[in-house]
Amino acid sequence: MRIDLHAHSNASDGTDSPAELVAAAVAAGLDVVALTDHDTVAGHAEAAGAVRALPAGSRLTVVPGAELSCAVDGISLHLLAYLFDPEEPEFARERDLVRTDRFRRGRAIVERCRELGAEISWEQVRRIAGAGSVGRPHIASALVEAGVVATVSDAFTADWLANGGRADVRKHETDPVTAVRLVRVAGGVPVFAHPGAVKRGRTVSDQVIADLAAAGLAGLEVDHTDHDEETRERLRGLAGELGLLVTGSSDYHGTRKTVRLGEHTTDPEVYGALLAQATGAKPIER
Ligand code: AMP
Ligand code: FE
Ligand code: FE
Ligand code: ZN
């Protein structure tokens, strides 16, 4: 079984449509892929339709999920949420709040970029984002189009869009203890995404992770491209101490990042343990 529990579609900052992501997951030989767009479930219906329409003989399970934007003590972090009830009103309202604020903040970032001499526009960013939940990677693509930087990842520096960079503007982000509770209230299973991704900015202390574990966190995403071997070992130890599950995943973003689907995977037993905790939704199977 090959299980990849973190992937983005163009419902947020990936480049594949949800149906293309399903096709890519089959082509990559995955058995399970989780659709975890930033702060939105907008891709779920299309992904479900694509899975059900797969030809007999191909097999794939899609785990509906999301990746929530959180912050504590000024440090941004991401919380993966699997198999929650998308209709549960409290959690739905919070996702709505973050998504709406992404528009205000996106405009403000474009304005900052223009003040700094980059000839990009909000219309251009909207075209790049399409119907997707607007984020810095879309603005990064606009900066690439304008010839300001060579690649999306080159836009994530102190000069431009990195956390605390010249053109960074914060958005509304949920307190992670609150987010863990909201995911559980909606019957979902919360896993801390790339908790040691230092290249993205400051990361939270072990105490914060312990507090999240006490609030109902289910696991830590340990095997992730942004973690070096030493970080993975440390996080594995911490997960053991706190009784948390350990997952691995690609964080695929289509052509917007270089990672491949299935680059890192989750143990089938861990996947089973996550499923056993979920009451809000069911995996979508062909
Ligand atoms: P946002 O949600 O708008 O704040 O943008 C965060 C997203 O930007 C993350 O989910 C990643 O997809 C991307 N990102 C953050 N840091 C980096 C980085 N250093 N290099 C490339 N992409 C990044
Ligand atoms: Fe992203
Ligand atoms: Fe993330
Ligand atoms: Zn992600």
Side-chain angles (χ1 to χ4, degrees):
M1 284 259 277
R2 297 189 70 225
I3 301 160
D4 185 344
L5 292 180
H6 187 164
H8 295 266
S9 76
N10 65 7
S12 66
D13 56 7
T15 55
D16 291 358
S17 68
E20 286 165 348
L21 174 64
V22 164
V26 172
L30 293 179
D31 300 283
V32 179
V33 67
L35 177 60
T36 54
D37 278 308
H38 296 288
D39 309 304
T40 185
V41 299
H44 288 189
E46 182 182 323
V51 170
R52 295 195 180 105
L54 283 174
S58 40
R59 217 161 35 89
L60 182 72
T61 297
V62 169
V63 174
E67 184 177 17
L68 310 165
S69 304
C70 298
V72 59
D73 304 330
I75 302 174
S76 293
L77 63 114
H78 290 170
L79 188 73
L80 292 161
Y82 303 114
L83 298 164
F84 54 87
D85 173 5
E87 310 282 343
E88 190 285 316
E90 247 196 294
F91 184 26
R93 189 171 349 101
E94 186 61 26
R95 291 193 304 276
D96 223 50
L97 212 57
V98 179
R99 261 192 340 269
T100 305
D101 201 47
R102 282 177 168 280
F103 285 92
R104 174 202 59 82
R105 177 253 208 165
R107 278 179 190 275
I109 293 180
V110 168
E111 212 36 62
R112 280 296 295 149
C113 286
R114 292 175 61 86
E115 285 164 14
L116 293 165
E119 294 194 11
I120 62 170
S121 70
W122 178 238
E123 289 66 37
Q124 178 192 14
V125 170
R126 289 303 303 276
R127 168 176 60 69
I128 292 167
S133 181
V134 182
R136 282 179 289 171
H138 300 119
I139 300 167
S141 288
L143 290 169
V144 173
E145 272 186 12
V148 175
V149 291
T151 67
V152 164
S153 109
D154 289 339
F156 283 88
T157 62
D159 275 350
W160 298 103
L161 304 177
N163 289 347
R166 292 188 304 170
D168 182 36
V169 177
R170 310 251 351 209
K171 61 182 176 302
H172 170 75
E173 294 169 311
T174 311
D175 170 76
V177 167
T178 305
V180 162
R181 293 210 177 103
L182 289 173
V183 174
R184 289 291 190 184
V185 163
V189 186
V191 170
F192 194 155
H194 44 74
V198 285
K199 76 159 198 186
R200 298 181 185 216
R202 289 164 68 210
T203 56
V204 301
S205 66
D206 290 0
Q207 184 56 52
V208 168
I209 298 180
D211 293 345
L212 295 176
L217 186 70
L220 299 182
E221 186 185 54
V222 172
D223 291 309
H224 184 284
T225 187
D226 290 356
H227 291 159
D228 61 21
E229 212 28 72
E230 194 185 322
T231 301
R232 292 180 200 197
E233 280 318 306
R234 186 177 64 74
L235 289 171
R236 248 185 268 285
L238 184 61
E241 282 168 33
L242 297 172
L244 296 170
L245 298 165
V246 164
T247 69
S249 33
S250 67
D251 203 353
Y252 175 74
H253 280 70
T255 58
R256 213 167 255 123
K257 287 196 180 180
T258 54
V259 288
R260 291 164 291 110
L261 266 176
E263 190 164 309
H264 298 288
T265 55
T266 294
D267 193 277
E269 277 169 34
V270 171
Y271 175 56
L274 292 172
L275 287 184
Q277 295 185 25
T279 57
K282 290 212 161 13
I284 304 144
E285 290 173 17
R286 167 67 177 101

